[in-house]
Amino acid sequence: TDIFSVLKGGGSTLLGYIGIDTIIEQMRKKTMKTGFEFNIMVVGHSGLGKSTLVNTLFKSQVSRKSAGWARDEKIPKTVEIKSVSHVIEEGGVKMKLTVVDTPGFGDQINNDNCWEPISKYINEQFEKFLKEEVNITRKKRIPDTRVHCCIYFISPTGHTLRQLDMEFMKRLSHSVNIIPVIAKADTMTIEERQEFKQRVRKELEMSGIEFYPQKEFDDDMEDKSDNDKIRETMPFAVVGSDKEYQVNNKRVLGRKTAWGIVEVENPNHCEFAQLRDFLIRSHLQDLKEVTHNIHYETYRAKRLNDNGGLHPISTNGTHDSNL
């Protein structure tokens, strides 16, 4: 229930201009000055184009690999968590983007419990934020390292989801916003792609796995209608590329094959543009809000409850982040 539905009697008629509408401009100016943070995690086994996709999304070399990652780096024996931050500026708006990578995930002979280090990392960021929040003298602005979004890369097998995919999404869907994508979608025909998407959706539904945007968090009918359209097209079948080619006298991002060029931002070729519009242009703020109001709130309530609501965190307790 919002504040307006609580107030009975409808809106008051104004006798003249007050200037309430300038609040939006005031907020915009403040945001322009302070900038904002966005933390995105990429999960999936090696070779699915995770780094390339993130670079394509933000049209810059923001992935860990771009930041001096050696091509011959061996796949780690266990899942590691590596993050790299960049400040991106566009139209006077500054965004501190942190890309969290999970090398080693799904690459072992035995992948049992390989979601655990990722879950631990997500909770450690909640813990860091909570520590700052319960301090008597709090920072004016708490640094936010919480993971706002996790892009989960599904292998384009055309068959079914792997047990690991199901396990990961089931375990983590209640602590992070998971956006599943079908990687390297140009390896499948349009028909194969559609069939695979439907199969994946059905499997997730049958297992009761909810991905972002979750139905239960739709604010109103307009929200529900917009999100329903998005949910119907998920998981997005994507292709990433940071290489440009000339097509019809236009420079386009694409992948060159013997048969032609797969244009990354062409909706007839893949669903990258839909993913980008959804992730950055329409739902970025909502991803942050759901993280704060739902996932972090759940963690916070549990932690305070477990500690009887008093002195929730000791400064040298076992819950200290070791990152």
Side-chain angles (χ1 to χ4, degrees), residues 32-46:
M32 294 278 274
K33 272 186 199 158
T34 55
F36 66 98
E37 294 142 323
F38 187 58
N39 309 316
I40 187 168
M41 176 183 263
V42 287
V43 180
H45 66 76
S46 60

Side-chain angles (χ1 to χ4, degrees), residues 185-186 188-191 193-194 237-239 248 250 261-274:
D186 53 333
M188 295 189 281
T189 66
I190 303 288
E191 292 77 18
R193 195 192 293 174
Q194 283 312 111
V238 295
V239 177
N248 301 331
K250 258 176 41 190
I261 290 165
V262 179
E263 296 169 40
V264 167
E265 296 180 283
N266 183 339
N268 297 320
H269 290 204
C270 78
E271 294 165 339
F272 169 81
Q274 280 171 276

Side-chain angles (χ1 to χ4, degrees), residues 14-33:
L14 303 180
L15 303 175
Y17 179 68
I18 305 172
I20 301 168
D21 56 354
T22 62
I23 187 71
I24 305 298
E25 183 56 24
Q26 292 170 46
M27 287 159 81
R28 194 184 74 84
K29 275 186 180 163
K30 260 204 148 78
T31 308
M32 294 278 274
K33 272 186 199 158

Side-chain angles (χ1 to χ4, degrees), residues 40 42 48-60 62 151 153 179-186 190 193-194 197 230 233-244 252-255 262-282:
I40 187 168
V42 287
L48 288 178
K50 299 186 294 294
S51 298
T52 306
L53 188 82
V54 173
N55 289 345
T56 316
L57 273 170
F58 296 99
K59 294 202 169 161
S60 50
V62 292
I151 300 185
F153 287 70
I179 297 177
V181 300
I182 296 166
K184 301 203 162 177
D186 53 333
I190 303 288
R193 195 192 293 174
Q194 283 312 111
K197 277 164 66 94
I230 291 161
T233 55
M234 287 176 83
F236 299 110
V238 295
V239 177
S241 172
D242 35 25
K243 289 195 174 66
E244 281 194 330
V252 297
L253 285 170
R255 275 170 62 84
V262 179
E263 296 169 40
V264 167
E265 296 180 283
N266 183 339
N268 297 320
H269 290 204
C270 78
E271 294 165 339
F272 169 81
Q274 280 171 276
L275 171 67
R276 182 208 47 217
D277 290 355
F278 161 60
L279 186 69
I280 300 170
R281 300 180 186 182
S282 67

Side-chain angles (χ1 to χ4, degrees), residues 284-318:
L284 191 143
Q285 182 57 30
D286 188 64
L287 281 160
K288 294 186 66 167
E289 284 173 14
V290 171
T291 300
H292 183 73
N293 299 332
I294 311 289
H295 301 311
Y296 170 65
E297 202 51 41
T298 304
Y299 178 86
R300 184 179 164 279
K302 187 178 184 308
R303 281 284 283 120
L304 295 178
N305 206 27
D306 290 350
N307 283 274
L310 293 167
H311 313 297
I313 299 145
S314 63
T315 44
N316 55 359
T318 51

Side-chain angles (χ1 to χ4, degrees), residues 165-230:
D165 300 331
M166 305 287 274
E167 188 76 11
F168 178 87
M169 289 191 258
K170 195 167 223 157
R171 300 270 183 181
L172 276 89
S173 61
H174 296 295
S175 53
V176 69
N177 296 315
I178 295 175
I179 297 177
V181 300
I182 296 166
K184 301 203 162 177
D186 53 333
T187 58
M188 295 189 281
T189 66
I190 303 288
E191 292 77 18
E192 285 169 344
R193 195 192 293 174
Q194 283 312 111
E195 270 178 40
F196 188 45
K197 277 164 66 94
Q198 280 171 359
R199 199 172 299 139
V200 168
R201 269 201 304 274
K202 198 166 185 160
E203 281 183 57
L204 292 174
E205 204 177 307
M206 299 282 282
S207 305
I209 296 167
E210 278 226 337
F211 48 80
Y212 178 86
Q214 301 91 329
K215 284 180 187 164
E216 59 192 295
F217 306 144
D218 291 343
D219 286 336
D220 49 43
M221 289 314 287
E222 187 191 353
D223 238 24
K224 184 185 180 321
S225 161
D226 290 347
N227 286 342
D228 276 347
K229 281 182 201 135
I230 291 161

